[in-house]
């Protein structure tokens, strides 16, 4: 079956979404070349960024799928376009952390890079206007975002993704410090991975040198983000 891109639906910070002709249960996702940080206060781009991220994400999704974690991809239609299952997205950013960095470093009395005894899972409200606030289980219950049962399922899901992704990034000699995923329910209410897994959404430190290779390179002007992302893809292709 071939799919056709139809009406434009939404433009986000990293992707554009379209309808798929004749398929209300699908979406057409196009990766842009833009790069944003600090809730889009800092913006940039490089040619081919969307392609690199899409390619990296496909590899991450494949490794997860091989271990039973489903994702939304139905068809890869070009280097930067996919047809995906339209999920009932959970308006939470699920963050899992193995080491202390980013907002956790700002909040708690740990050194940056401190290895956590056990991984931490956190939930943030997906709401740019509110600045994606950190939520407790009680906040999630009060807003009726998901049931307690589904929230527990989401935590288990996050830790499972973490265990698989840790091994996946090791194959590219990268240490998975933390990451964010966005999940949704399929028609049978199963939790599935939506959105993307890429150096935009994972903190990745070179195992040998500790060098930062993810979006922090752009956030904090640590060098060429283009070189860094391309290097990650090259390592995964080896
Ligand atoms: P943002 O909206 O945060 O700026 P993007 O530019 O990446 O981010 O836009 C992609 C949008 O599509 C996000 O809002 C994301 O939650 C949503 N999305 C991703 N995958 C799916 C899916 N399978 N079904 C429905 N929505 C999705
Ligand atoms: N993250 C993301 N999108 C967001 C917020 C965070 O992909 O809107 C990722 C971020 O790249 C990091 C992890 O989630 O890998 C944890 O981010 P943190 O809470 O430390 O926030 P930051 O200070 O990076 O915004």
């Amino acid at each position: 079956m071939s799919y056709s891109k139809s009406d434009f639906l939404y433009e986000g910070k990293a992707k554009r979404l379209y309808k798929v002709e004749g398929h209300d249960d699908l979406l057409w996702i196009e990766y842009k070349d833009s790069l944003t940080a600090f809730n889009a206060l800092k913006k940039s781009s490089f040619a081919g960024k969307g392609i690199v991220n899409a390619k990296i994400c496909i590899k991450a999704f494949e490794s997860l799928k091989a271990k039973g974690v489903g994702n939304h991809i139905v068809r890869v239609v070009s280097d930067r376009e996919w047809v995906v299952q339209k999920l009932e997205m959970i308006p939470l950013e699920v963050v899992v952390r193995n080491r202390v960095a980013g907002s956790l470093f700002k909040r708690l009395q740990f050194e940056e890079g401190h290895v956590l005894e056990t991984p931490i899972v956190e939930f943030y409200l997906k709401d740019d206007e509110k600045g994606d606030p950190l939520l407790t289980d009680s906040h999630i219950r009060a807003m009726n975002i998901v049931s307690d049962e589904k929230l527990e399922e989401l935590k288990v899901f996050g830790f499972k993704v973490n265990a698989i992704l840790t091994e996946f990034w090791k194959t590219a000699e990268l240490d998975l410090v933390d990451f964010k995923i966005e999940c949704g329910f399929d028609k049978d209410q199963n939790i599935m991975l939506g959105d993307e897994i890429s150096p935009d959404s994972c903190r990745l430190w070179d195992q040998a040198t500790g060098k930062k290779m993810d979006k922090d390179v752009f956030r904090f002007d640590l060098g060429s983000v283009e070189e860094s992302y391309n290097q990650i893809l090259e390592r995964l292709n080896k």
Side-chain angles (χ1 to χ4, degrees):
M1 186 191 301
S2 74
Y3 297 108
S4 314
K5 183 161 105 175
S6 176
D7 303 346
F8 167 82
L9 287 173
Y10 169 81
E11 176 153 4
K13 297 185 287 294
K15 298 184 274 297
R16 282 186 207 93
L17 266 51
Y18 300 83
K19 286 187 180 176
V20 177
E21 192 85 60
H23 296 275
D24 285 343
D25 55 338
L26 302 177
L27 287 174
W28 187 285
I29 286 192
E30 189 180 279
Y31 278 74
K32 307 196 293 181
D33 284 341
S34 54
L35 206 60
T36 67
F38 310 121
N39 206 0
L41 286 176
K42 183 168 178 169
K43 290 184 195 156
S44 186
S45 68
F46 66 83
K49 184 261 183 181
I51 294 176
V52 180
N53 265 21
K55 285 186 173 169
I56 291 172
C57 183
I58 289 168
K59 287 181 177 290
F61 277 172
E62 276 170 358
S63 82
L64 285 152
K65 199 170 177 183
K67 302 253 164 66
V69 177
N71 66 73
H72 59 164
I73 299 182
V74 171
R75 176 84 53 85
V76 174
V77 283
S78 82
D79 277 351
R80 60 167 85 237
E81 293 163 293
W82 305 337
V83 170
V84 303
Q85 241 186 87
K86 192 196 285 179
L87 301 175
E88 184 199 327
M89 292 303 282
I90 304 166
L92 297 174
E93 298 197 336
V94 181
V95 168
V96 184
R97 303 174 184 275
N98 297 304
R99 284 173 176 255
V100 175
S103 67
L104 189 65
F105 172 59
K106 282 194 204 137
R107 245 182 10 250
L108 301 186
Q109 295 165 313
F110 285 115
E111 305 241 320
E112 191 188 28
H114 173 83
V115 178
L116 295 159
E117 264 177 46
T118 51
I120 289 175
V121 66
E122 297 171 341
F123 299 100
Y124 293 82
L125 183 65
K126 198 171 156 57
D127 184 330
D128 286 342
E129 270 180 37
K130 297 266 183 203
D132 295 347
L134 176 64
L135 302 175
T136 65
D137 289 15
S138 302
H139 295 144
I140 294 172
R141 196 174 302 123
M143 286 185 282
N144 208 7
I145 295 177
V146 282
S147 66
D148 288 0
E149 191 191 339
K150 285 293 177 194
L151 190 62
E152 287 313 305
E153 223 183 282
L154 204 50
K155 289 179 189 171
V156 172
F157 187 85
F159 287 133
K160 181 169 182 184
V161 169
N162 182 45
I164 299 165
L165 279 187
T166 297
E167 293 308 310
F168 168 76
W169 289 116
K170 259 191 208 162
T171 66
E173 285 147 47
L174 293 167
D175 199 356
L176 177 60
V177 172
D178 59 33
F179 65 93
K180 178 268 305 181
I181 49 174
E182 293 180 27
C183 308
F185 298 113
D186 68 8
K187 284 190 219 97
D188 303 318
Q189 292 300 297
N190 296 310
I191 297 177
M192 304 268 288
L193 278 172
D195 208 54
E196 69 177 277
I197 293 173
S198 72
D200 275 5
S201 61
C202 300
R203 278 202 171 86
L204 303 165
W205 294 356
D206 180 63
Q207 279 187 324
T209 63
K211 198 175 125 197
K212 294 173 180 173
M213 299 195 61
D214 54 83
K215 196 156 88 173
D216 276 351
V217 174
F218 166 66
R219 286 191 187 98
F220 304 110
D221 301 314
L222 303 177
S224 164
V225 67
E226 178 173 1
E227 264 173 40
S228 204
Y229 281 31
N230 281 320
Q231 212 178 329
I232 290 174
L233 181 58
E234 271 166 37
R235 288 190 189 189
L236 289 171
N237 279 334
K238 264 192 201 153

